[in-house]
């Protein structure tokens, strides 16, 4: 078992990764891999790092690359026959493999590069367990595909979504494929939104874990089908397992499986197999319904 993660000022390598073998569960492997990446991200924070231009204004740092290598090393040790799709390393193994891990080693690279400690390390088995690590708090949000937990100081606590904070994270990063029909910035200017919620802009998928943990009422981003995105797959799995309402900005279920969180929520009656575009993740059906009514107006 992997049950003694290091604190934010310690290394988790011995506690979390050294004991991971092929006998570990997929959830344990996800946790160990995310922690291994988080160790690297935390250790390199504040250092002057090489930037790797990816075009279109996007870039990676040496920390992105090193963290992904640490993650893949854990996955290879525990699951040598599985395929891996990494943000930096691309496809490793057959893309049509029955089991594929989706890895975003440092979500929030721009934040990280300018010294803002708001980032996430995402590891998800497609259609299965997932883990999201916060390198700076030491927390690991994880799911076995059925329930969702946060591991903090070596102990697990169940995640409990709630809209009580009224805080909604809205991703304003381009591109904006939903425009002109949907613009996130228009949502922020909606009088009904202002009357009910308070916006936040974090620019990292760490915000998804905060919805699952009750720290945010909702999260909204434009985009295509994000269900198998290395950036969002782990957060989506976590939120679904926690009981959040998960759809696209068009109200359709996210992903080919048609999973959509709590049954009966507004906007979740789309035809099976349709993939919603973007994401609206809400702590409860009422919050989801309110946001959808604003976006469809």
């Amino acid at each position: 078992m992997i049950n003694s993660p290091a604190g934010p000022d310690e290394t988790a390598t011995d506690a979390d990764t050294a004991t991971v073998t092929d006998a570990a569960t997929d959830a344990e492997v996800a946790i160990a891999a995310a922690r291994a990446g988080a160790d690297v991200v935390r250790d390199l924070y504040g250092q002057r790092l090489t930037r790797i231009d990816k075009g279109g204004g996007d870039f990676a740092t040496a920390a992105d690359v090193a963290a992904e290598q640490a993650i893949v090393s854990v996955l290879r040790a525990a699951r040598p026959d599985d395929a891996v799709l990494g943000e930096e390393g691309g496809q490793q193994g057959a893309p049509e493999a029955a089991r594929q891990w989706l890895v975003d080693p440092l979500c929030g690279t721009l934040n990280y590069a300018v010294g803002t400690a708001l980032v996430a390390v995402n590891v998800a088995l497609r259609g299965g367990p997932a883990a999201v690590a916060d390198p700076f708090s030491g927390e690991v949000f994880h799911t076995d595909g059925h329930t969702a937990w946060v591991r903090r100081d070596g102990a697990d606590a169940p995640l409990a979504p709630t809209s009580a904070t009224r805080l909604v994270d809205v991703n304003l990063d381009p591109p904006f494929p939903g425009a002109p029909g949907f613009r996130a910035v228009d949502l922020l200017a909606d009088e009904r939104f202002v009357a009910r919620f308070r916006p936040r802009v974090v620019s990292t998928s760490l915000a998804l874990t905060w919805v699952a943990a009750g720290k945010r009422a909702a999260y909204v981003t434009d985009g295509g089908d994000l269900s198998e995105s290395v950036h969002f797959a782990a957060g989506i799995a976590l939120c679904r397992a926690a009981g959040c309402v998960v759809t696209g900005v068009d109200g359709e279920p996210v992903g080919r499986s048609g999973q959509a969180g709590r049954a009966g929520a507004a906007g979740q009656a789309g035809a099976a197999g349709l993939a919603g575009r973007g994401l609206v993740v809400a702590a409860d059906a009422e919050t989801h319904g309110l946001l959808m009514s604003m976006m469809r107006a």
Side-chain angles (χ1 to χ4, degrees):
M1 291 292 291
I2 304 159
N3 55 13
S4 300
D9 296 321
E10 303 168 1
T11 176
T13 302
D14 291 340
D16 277 1
T17 64
T19 58
V20 179
T21 67
D22 56 7
T25 67
D26 288 333
E28 290 169 336
V29 172
I31 293 168
R35 287 307 304 260
D39 289 342
V40 173
V41 170
R42 185 176 60 252
D43 290 346
L44 294 179
Y45 182 68
Q47 298 186 28
R48 189 166 186 170
L49 301 172
T50 301
R51 291 195 183 194
I52 304 159
D53 183 24
K54 299 168 72 171
D58 194 13
F59 67 92
T61 70
D64 296 71
V65 176
E68 184 167 311
Q69 290 172 342
I71 293 167
V72 172
S73 179
V74 172
L75 297 178
R76 282 280 166 262
R79 299 291 187 269
D81 297 327
D82 290 0
V84 177
L85 177 61
E87 165 75 358
E88 310 308 333
Q91 182 69 44
Q92 301 180 45
E96 68 276 8
R99 290 171 53 90
Q100 182 181 54
W101 293 88
L102 306 172
V103 175
D104 182 359
L106 205 174
C107 187
T109 298
L110 182 55
N111 287 347
Y112 186 80
V114 300
T116 301
L118 285 173
V119 301
V121 176
N122 298 300
V123 178
L125 178 62
R126 185 175 58 195
V132 180
D134 181 340
F136 300 104
S137 72
E139 295 173 314
V140 181
F141 303 86
H142 59 95
T143 176
D144 59 3
H146 304 286
T147 56
W149 305 77
V150 59
R151 183 165 294 181
R152 184 187 299 114
D153 297 328
D156 284 342
L159 295 181
T162 173
S163 59
T165 66
R166 301 197 301 157
L167 300 177
V168 176
D169 266 300
V170 181
N171 183 10
L172 299 180
D173 285 341
F176 308 111
F182 169 74
R183 290 189 179 94
V185 68
D186 293 337
L187 178 64
L188 302 184
D190 190 300
E191 292 182 356
R192 295 168 297 171
F193 182 91
V194 174
R196 180 65 182 256
F197 302 111
R198 290 293 177 268
R200 293 293 183 271
V201 181
V202 173
S203 297
T204 169
S205 58
L206 188 62
L208 277 171
T209 71
W210 293 345
V211 180
K215 298 178 181 181
R216 295 289 189 270
Y219 174 84
V220 179
T221 185
D222 201 355
D225 176 10
L226 302 179
S227 62
E228 295 187 3
S229 161
V230 295
H231 304 291
F232 293 100
I236 290 171
L238 190 81
C239 288
R240 280 177 169 159
C244 300
V245 181
V246 181
T247 72
V249 296
D250 52 7
E252 296 291 346
V254 173
R256 289 173 295 180
S257 66
Q259 300 177 55
R262 289 176 182 162
Q268 298 191 81
L274 291 179
R277 58 178 182 81
L279 277 177
V280 179
V281 178
D284 53 47
E286 179 184 7
T287 300
H288 182 270
L290 286 169
L291 290 170
M292 291 305 305
S293 70
M294 297 172 196
M295 291 187 287
R296 286 171 168 165

